[in-house]
Each structure stands twice: as structure tokens, then as C-alpha cells.
Amino acid sequence: MAERLTTIRRAVPGDAAVLAELGARTFREAFEADNKPEDMALYLASSYGPDHQTAELRNAGIVTLLAEAESRLAGYSQLRDGPAPDCVDGPRPIELWRFYVGRAWQGHGVAQRLMAATIEAAGARGAGTVWLSVWERNLRAQAFYRKSGFEDRGEKAFILGNDRQTDRVMALAL
Ligand SMILES: CC(C)(COP(=O)(O)OP(=O)(O)OC[C@H]1O[C@@H](n2cnc3c(N)ncnc32)[C@H](O)[C@@H]1OP(=O)(O)O)[C@@H](O)C(=O)NCCC(=O)NCCS
């Protein structure tokens, strides 16, 4: 499919409401078919909403990028400072915490543009390694991350509501 015109920009605190809507919507699109409604509801309530995203956008340890395609919000990514799991052994690690493209924009190159800008932002922040965790059942995302240069490093638990799941941990050396 044709590549859409995509621009990437740093989110600011005034973007909290649109980021909250985009974050909840893309999480639901990606995972509601394969999870229990009560686990989804618990996780969504604990992670998305204007107050959550306002705090994230004011947190100096989090970098949020927004992808706009044809002047509409199409996706977002968030880098987060903090410790990496033991299976990530590269220097100066930073976490690619969230990476989501709206369903309508998947397969159109938006994800590639957003990833390039996210990796550039990680490098500009002084990182030497970008790591992430991705649900073991999310094969499309794993394929995308492999195409982007990430390699499997191990696994890590993820709690969705009351469900303990297994994530793959992947890392990219910058
Ligand atoms: C993960 C994501 C960012 C990738 O962006 P995208 O635009 O879909 O990426 P692509 O179209 O390049 O697909 C990536 C690869 O997945 C594979 N793929 C495509 N459709 C697939 C499907 N239905 N099932 C499994 N793999 C699939 C292909 O190998 C594809 O690469 P190729 O077409 O060059 O061979 C996007 O799908 C997304 O936001 N998904 C929902 C949210 C999510 O899962 N985020 C990651 C959380 S860790």
C-alpha cells in the first residue's frame, strides 16, 4: 500500500487528552479480542486517562512522540528512563515503553517513520541500547521490531488486570 504523508513531533502537556484517547483506543484495538473484558478494564483504568497522560507528559524521564498522518493523529511512542531487565546487557539502556499505530494506519509506513524518529530520540538522549517488551502472542509487533533491527533477548512477566502474561524482551544496539 502507498506510504502516507507522516510527520512526527514531540508531545506537550496540552496533548494529554488526545494521547489518553489514542492510547486507550489503540490498546483496545490491539488486545481486546484476545483478553478478558475485566482484565482489559482494570488495565485501561490504571493506564489511560487525562490525569495519567498529563503526569507522563510532565515527567522528564519520559519522551513521547506523536505521529500525524494526513494531519490526523495516527500513532505514538514513549521512551522511558529506568533500569533494564538482566537479559538486556547493552550499554546505557532506555526502554521503548509504548509503541502504537492506529489500525487504520497500520501497513502504511507510519510505524517505520515513527520508529526511525524514536530511535533518533533515544540516541539524542544518550542511550546506547533500546529495549522493549512485547506480548509473546503479538506476532505482528515482533515481526515489525525484528524488521527494525531488534533482537530477542529473553522474557519478562506482564500483568494485565489479574492475568499474568509472558512478554518477549527485545533489544537494539544503537
Ligand atoms: C506493531 C505495529 C506498530 C507495526 O506497525 P505496522 O504498520 O503494522 O507494521 P508492518 O505492516 O510493517 O508489519 C510488520 C510485519 O508484521 C508481519 N505481519 C503483517 N500482518 C500480520 C499479521 N496479521 N499477523 C502476523 N504478522 C503480520 C509482516 O511480516 C510485516 O512485515 P512485512 O509486511 O514487511 O513482511 C502496529 O501493527 C501496531 O501498532 N499494532 C498494534 C499495537 C501493538 O501491538 N503495539 C506494540 C505493543 S508492544
Side-chain angles (χ1 to χ4, degrees), residues 122-172:
R125 214 169 158 78
T129 308
V130 181
W131 71 274
L132 60 85
S133 60
V134 50
W135 194 18
E136 60 179 351
R137 292 174 54 183
N138 189 352
L139 301 183
R140 182 170 188 155
Q142 289 173 41
F144 172 74
Y145 293 138
R146 274 195 303 276
K147 276 201 311 189
S148 306
F150 287 81
E151 292 176 356
D152 192 276
R153 287 279 186 263
E155 65 179 47
K156 182 175 173 297
F158 177 82
I159 311 295
L160 184 89
N162 293 313
D163 186 24
R164 184 183 169 88
Q165 307 184 339
T166 303
D167 276 1
R168 299 309 309 169
V169 173
M170 303 179 79
L172 169 76

Side-chain angles (χ1 to χ4, degrees), residues 26-27 29-31 74-76 96-103 105-112 114-115 132-135 137-147 167:
T26 53
F27 193 87
E29 283 176 354
F31 302 120
Y76 75 103
L96 176 48
W97 183 33
R98 292 178 175 144
F99 193 92
Y100 287 83
V101 170
R103 186 166 282 163
W105 304 102
Q106 291 171 16
H108 293 286
V110 172
Q112 283 77 3
L114 181 59
M115 181 58 82
L132 60 85
S133 60
V134 50
W135 194 18
R137 292 174 54 183
N138 189 352
L139 301 183
R140 182 170 188 155
Q142 289 173 41
F144 172 74
Y145 293 138
R146 274 195 303 276
K147 276 201 311 189
D167 276 1

